[in-house]
Amino acid sequence: MIPLEDNFNDILGKAMKGRGLSEASAAPSSGLSAEAIHRLLAGDFEESAARALAAELGLQPDALVGVARGLEHPVVPVPDGLATVTTNFGDMTVNAYVVWDRENRAAAIFDTGAEAGPILELIGREKLEVVAIFLTHSHADHIAALGALKSALDVEAWSSELEPVRGTRLFRPGDVFNVGRHFLRTRQTPGHSPGGTTFIVEGHTVQAAMVGDAIFAGSIGGVRSDYAETLATIRQEILGLPDHTILCPGHGPLTTVAREKAHNPFFA
């Protein structure tokens, strides 16, 4: 079982950074001392303090406490035709995904992770015909095996025109692709990176969104642009999808739109 990407203190830290607050500046309005906030950010969980700071940061307190107490790990049934490939990149793990049509075995790879081997083993085991590789964004952990996969499979890779990756063709927000009987629709979801893209997968057995580092189970990716705008984009472009849609993040476990709307501290 893949653990959640972020602990409660990671979530608090991301919200504070997004709102431009320091421990000292968050103290007066939260009713906490700077020292108490420092302890929370260091991972020392104290429920009443965590609730007070969460409320001040616009986070849902119950959802944050759920993450802290380990109560909110999602359990998502995985449909046939969707696989997660998790590899180690330095001291962290990163997810790539393979989606395929069960009848004609046409497949797409989303991001590459750190190693080509596990993806190539899956493709061989399932006898898949890879149509293309699609990149959610250009960060090194998501494209490290791109060259090896392109060489081994002799297929094209695609990246956003807003965040091009060398050696790829470029797509625009709103472009549509076919993978067997699956449709892939691109939605721009920046914030973590300028050209961050979510791929909406619509198929007979798979209804999913490849969200990269826009949103995680119980958290979000690090925001490198306007914080409020990033949250609004996630609400509209990702959490506006049907509740049963499976969300496939770049780190951590699978989740669903319904689960994140109910349990993610940033959106609950």
Side-chain angles (χ1 to χ4, degrees):
M1 186 170 65
I2 301 175
L4 295 180
E5 174 65 11
D6 285 345
N7 297 317
F8 82 93
N9 51 317
D10 300 314
I11 294 168
L12 291 172
K14 286 180 177 179
M16 286 184 63
K17 181 179 179 182
R19 289 176 173 264
L21 295 172
S22 66
E23 294 170 7
S25 62
S29 54
S30 67
L32 301 172
S33 66
E35 181 181 353
I37 294 174
H38 179 78
R39 289 196 298 268
L40 285 171
L41 295 178
D44 184 6
F45 180 69
E46 198 285 309
E47 183 169 342
S48 62
R51 286 182 175 276
L53 185 56
E56 173 61 22
L57 297 175
L59 301 171
Q60 212 288 332
D62 289 342
L64 182 75
V65 170
V67 172
R69 297 198 180 284
L71 303 178
E72 305 301 341
H73 196 288
V75 178
V76 178
V78 180
D80 188 17
L82 169 65
T84 307
V85 180
T86 303
T87 52
N88 294 316
F89 186 84
D91 60 356
M92 65 180 178
T93 61
V94 59
N95 299 329
Y97 297 93
V98 182
V99 171
W100 65 92
D101 186 317
R102 293 187 304 173
E103 289 193 6
N104 62 29
R105 315 311 285 175
I109 299 170
F110 297 91
D111 290 343
T112 72
E115 302 173 40
I119 294 177
L120 294 174
E121 289 172 12
L122 170 67
I123 289 165
R125 184 170 65 250
E126 296 290 341
K127 298 180 173 58
L128 303 179
E129 186 69 32
V130 176
V131 173
I133 302 166
F134 297 96
L135 304 177
T136 63
H137 62 299
S138 65
H139 292 172
D141 50 328
H142 294 262
I143 67 169
L146 178 61
L149 286 173
K150 285 184 62 183
S151 177
L153 299 171
D154 190 26
V155 295
E156 292 180 330
W158 293 80
S159 65
S160 171
E161 67 177 7
L162 302 173
E163 192 175 339
V165 174
R166 179 178 295 181
T168 66
R169 298 186 65 181
L170 304 181
F171 61 77
R172 298 167 298 177
D175 280 354
V176 178
F177 297 86
N178 288 92
V179 178
R181 295 171 300 163
H182 292 89
F183 289 97
L184 310 182
R185 305 180 189 275
T186 64
R187 290 191 176 186
Q188 188 181 357
T189 48
H192 180 70
S193 67
T197 298
T198 290
F199 296 93
I200 312 302
V201 181
E202 301 169 347
H204 289 276
T205 59
V206 179
Q207 301 289 324
M210 306 295 160
V211 298
D213 287 356
I215 185 172
F216 303 141
S219 189
I220 59 173
V223 177
R224 294 172 167 84
S225 60
D226 185 272
Y227 177 70
E229 184 177 335
T230 297
L231 295 185
T233 297
I234 293 171
R235 287 191 188 96
Q236 177 176 329
E237 301 295 342
I238 298 177
L239 298 184
L241 294 167
D243 282 354
H244 65 271
T245 305
I246 298 171
L247 302 182
C248 303
H251 305 274
L254 296 174
T255 184
T256 65
V257 167
R259 184 201 176 276
E260 295 314 300
K261 285 162 64 174
H263 299 294
N264 189 311
F266 290 92
F267 307 106

